């Protein structure tokens, strides 16, 4: 296993470790650009061609939308255990989201003018749900629920179908519970292009959300400006920060869990101050891996982007965490709460030995759509307020305008924009408040 996972990385090589993300692969970006151009130029015809090429499904344009009967059948086949799991996760996500909603406010500025903000839900949003090697039922809840809680009236979902042109019924059931209003059988970069640019079948949206593979994330970056985007959530990442108090079996299990998604671009790191913990985690990976159903996917991810790293001090480990900005950070140290205050870039933080990342993946409450590839240094994870559009409100009366005029005129004079100054001054001229003839 030592040939699969690097075990010694010096501080001077941290930069190389941080640059391993697939999010900025120029080859992937160019291929995503070609897909976007195809959808822009040929609309539904491109979607059908790309769906057949990448998903093996030969569809007609009227088969792209999920029908009412397909949704109904998904509800019928959902067993009690699935219903219970979906219901629990949905309730926790709703509870967390309602606490995070932004509320309108108003007040007065220094000159006595009325100022404030109002928050309105986006009227039409698009959400991508991965469904290639694994139908991410949990992602349906972790995204669509937020849009519904925010009050978005039109919630469009794109997710890839199988070769028979079908979507996993468990995923469809979760989408129905969460509140999706339209569902389309489209995956990959072409789905992002359809939602951003529009086609005869898929009307364009105001903002695109959702995680995906490197092609999906590249498409979101390339289409920014044509449409708003939430963040850059690519292949999964986890970093376990551990001292000698950590349980090696727990750490190994969590690394393996995040490496199993299947793209091969997942990134998993153990950063520890203990040589013994590092060796024990490596042995635990060797012991646990052969028993897992997706061992082949995991092995590929570990070979590409897996690292067990020993640092001299916990402070060095914290510095490396902030440098890597991992999607998920697990703090397995003797005093995790003292460490968390020093972390500024992680997408989500899990404290102590009994808080594995998988709880955040499924049921804890905060959305599991999180920034990857170092984007956590400037992006937060998905929150309900990202489905709200902020607008500032300003209202002056004669008294507050009069108090403000000297300052407005000074700024206008400095900037050489006399029309700016005049647009305020004209309102205070004698008789200006009366309707001009």
């Amino acid at each position: 296993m030592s040939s699969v996972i690097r075990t010694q990385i010096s501080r001077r090589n941290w930069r190389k470790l941080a640059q391993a993300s697939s999010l900025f692969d120029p080859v992937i970006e160019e291929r995503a650009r070609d897909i976007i151009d195809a959808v822009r130029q040929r609309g539904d015809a491109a979607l059908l061609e790309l769906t057949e090429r990448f998903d093996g499904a030969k569809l007609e344009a009227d088969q792209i939308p999920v029908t009412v009967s397909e949704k109904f059948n998904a509800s019928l086949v959902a067993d009690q255990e699935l219903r219970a799991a979906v219901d629990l996760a949905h309730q926790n996500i709703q509870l967390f989201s309602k606490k995070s909603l932004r509320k309108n406010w108003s007040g007065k500025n220094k000159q006595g003018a009325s100022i404030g903000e109002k928050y309105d839900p986006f009227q039409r949003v698009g959400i991508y749900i991965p469904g290639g090697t694994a139908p991410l039922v949990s992602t349906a809840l972790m995204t669509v629920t937020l849009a519904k809680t925010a009050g978005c009236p039109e919630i469009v979902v794109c997710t890839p179908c199988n070769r028979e042109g079908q979507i996993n019924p468990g995923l469809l059931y979760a989408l129905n519970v969460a509140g999706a209003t339209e569902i389309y059988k489209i995956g990959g970069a072409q789905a992002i292009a359809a939602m951003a640019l529009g086609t005869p079948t898929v009307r364009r949206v105001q903002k695109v959300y959702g995680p995906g593979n490197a092609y999906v994330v590249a498409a979101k970056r390339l289409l920014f400006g044509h449409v708003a985007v939430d963040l850059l959530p690519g292949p999964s990442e986890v970093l376990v920060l551990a001292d000698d108090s950590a349980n090696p079996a727990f750490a190994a299990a969590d690394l393996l869990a995040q490496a199993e998604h299947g793209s091969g671009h997942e990134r998993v790191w153990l950063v520890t101050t203990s040589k013994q913990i590092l060796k024990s985690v490596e042995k635990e990976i060797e012991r646990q891996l052969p028993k897992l159903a997706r061992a082949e996917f995991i092995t590929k991810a570990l070979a590409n982007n897996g690292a067990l790293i020993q640092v001299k001090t916990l402070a060095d480990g914290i510095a490396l965490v902030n440098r890597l900005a991992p999607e998920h950070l697990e703090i397995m140290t003797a005093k995790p709460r003292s460490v968390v205050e020093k972390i500024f870039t992680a997408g989500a933080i899990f404290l102590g030995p009994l808080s594995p990342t998988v709880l955040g993946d499924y049921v804890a409450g905060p959305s599991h759509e999180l920034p990857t590839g170092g984007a956590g240094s400037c992006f937060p994870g998905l929150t309900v307020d990202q489905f709200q559009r902020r607008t500032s409100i300003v209202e002056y009366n004669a008294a507050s305008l009069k108090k403000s005029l000297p300052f407005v005129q000074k700024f206008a004079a400095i900037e050489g924009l006399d029309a700016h100054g005049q647009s305020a001054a004209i309102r205070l001229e004698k008789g200006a408040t009366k309707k001009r003839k």
Side-chain angles (χ1 to χ4, degrees):
M1 186 58 67
S2 60
S3 63
V4 175
I5 297 183
R6 294 167 283 172
T7 57
Q8 297 203 358
I9 296 179
S10 65
R11 190 174 183 122
R12 65 177 176 272
N13 287 326
W14 284 7
R15 179 188 295 273
K16 183 178 180 181
L17 188 67
Q19 291 176 338
S21 172
S22 64
L23 296 189
F24 305 100
D25 185 317
V27 174
I28 290 175
E29 181 172 314
E30 191 56 36
R31 289 173 180 169
R33 193 187 304 276
D34 290 342
I35 291 171
I36 291 168
D37 287 342
V39 174
R40 179 186 289 112
Q41 294 166 14
R42 297 190 292 116
D44 286 348
L47 294 182
L48 296 173
E49 177 187 304
L50 293 164
T51 297
E52 184 175 4
R53 184 196 308 175
F54 295 124
D55 301 316
K58 190 173 180 60
L59 305 176
E60 300 296 331
D62 61 358
Q63 295 175 306
I64 293 175
V66 170
T67 64
V68 172
S69 62
E70 286 175 304
K71 295 177 185 178
F72 181 71
N73 290 335
S75 180
L76 289 179
V77 301
D79 59 40
Q80 192 57 44
E81 290 79 8
L82 175 61
R83 290 174 183 273
V86 167
D87 184 60
L88 172 67
H90 187 239
Q91 288 186 51
N92 281 344
I93 297 163
Q94 273 189 322
L95 177 65
F96 189 92
S97 296
K98 287 178 179 178
K99 296 279 188 182
S100 301
L101 278 169
R102 296 200 176 195
K103 298 177 175 59
N104 298 351
W105 65 271
S106 62
K108 299 287 186 180
N109 70 8
K110 291 291 186 180
Q111 287 75 50
S114 176
I115 55 171
E117 292 179 321
K118 76 183 186 82
Y119 292 90
D120 301 299
F122 282 102
Q123 298 300 290
R124 184 171 174 83
V125 297
I127 298 174
Y128 184 79
I129 309 294
T133 62
L136 296 187
V137 176
S138 57
T139 301
L141 298 168
M142 294 284 181
T143 51
V144 177
T145 302
L146 277 65
K148 184 68 173 180
T149 302
C152 300
E154 297 181 16
I155 305 171
V156 178
V157 171
C158 285
T159 190
C161 60
N162 62 18
R163 290 181 175 274
E164 287 71 44
Q166 299 172 338
I167 294 174
N168 179 277
L171 176 55
L172 276 183
Y173 174 73
L175 288 170
N176 288 335
V177 171
T181 61
E182 301 169 36
I183 306 171
Y184 297 97
K185 303 172 184 178
I186 315 168
Q190 60 270 28
I192 306 301
M195 291 188 286
L197 302 174
T199 76
T201 297
V202 184
R203 287 193 297 114
R204 66 181 299 178
V205 302
Q206 294 172 280
K207 189 171 182 178
V208 172
Y209 306 77
N213 62 21
Y215 290 91
V216 168
V217 178
K220 289 172 76 172
R221 287 195 297 107
L222 291 169
L223 287 162
F224 177 78
H226 293 280
V227 70
V229 301
D230 52 352
L231 58 144
L232 302 177
S236 188
E237 301 171 347
V238 66
L239 189 154
V240 178
L241 179 63
D243 61 15
D244 56 10
S245 69
N247 185 312
F250 295 175
D254 296 347
L255 296 174
L256 294 170
Q258 294 307 307
E260 77 172 336
H261 284 282
S263 76
H265 296 292
E266 292 77 18
R267 305 202 294 178
V268 298
W269 304 285
L270 171 76
V271 176
T272 180
T273 55
S274 169
K275 184 177 182 179
Q276 183 57 48
I277 290 294
L278 186 149
K279 290 183 176 180
S280 297
V281 169
E282 190 168 24
K283 290 179 180 178
E284 278 293 329
I285 290 174
E286 292 175 343
R287 183 183 70 82
Q288 295 180 33
L289 178 57
K291 304 175 183 178
L292 299 173
R294 294 168 70 87
E296 183 178 352
F297 289 123
I298 295 169
T299 300
K300 181 180 178 181
L302 296 181
N304 289 340
N305 295 302
L308 305 181
I309 306 164
Q310 185 181 356
V311 290
K312 291 183 179 180
T313 66
L314 188 57
D316 282 343
I318 292 169
L320 180 54
V321 169
N322 283 322
R323 180 70 172 270
L324 293 175
E327 178 189 20
H328 307 101
L329 169 65
E330 296 185 7
I331 303 177
M332 295 188 183
T333 62
K335 297 180 179 180
R337 288 195 171 275
S338 66
V339 173
V340 74
E341 300 301 324
K342 301 170 185 175
I343 303 298
F344 309 114
T345 65
I349 301 175
F350 300 83
L351 304 183
L354 302 181
S355 304
T357 295
V358 68
L359 294 175
D361 286 342
Y362 291 144
V363 299
S367 177
H368 71 200
E369 187 190 336
L370 301 164
T372 66
S377 63
C378 51
F379 282 91
L382 184 65
T383 50
V384 70
D385 61 292
Q386 293 179 51
F387 291 88
Q388 295 178 291
R389 186 185 180 282
R390 169 197 169 278
T391 307
S392 58
I393 307 293
V394 176
E395 183 180 15
Y396 275 72
N397 58 24
S400 54
L401 176 57
K402 184 176 182 180
K403 291 178 182 178
S404 301
L405 183 59
F407 306 103
V408 171
Q409 290 177 319
K410 183 62 177 177
F411 279 117
I414 292 173
E415 295 178 357
L417 302 173
D418 62 335
H420 277 58
Q422 179 62 11
S423 74
I426 194 172
R427 287 165 167 77
L428 294 176
E429 295 175 1
K430 187 175 181 179
T433 56
K434 298 178 181 180
K435 186 176 180 180
R436 290 177 179 265
K437 294 182 180 180

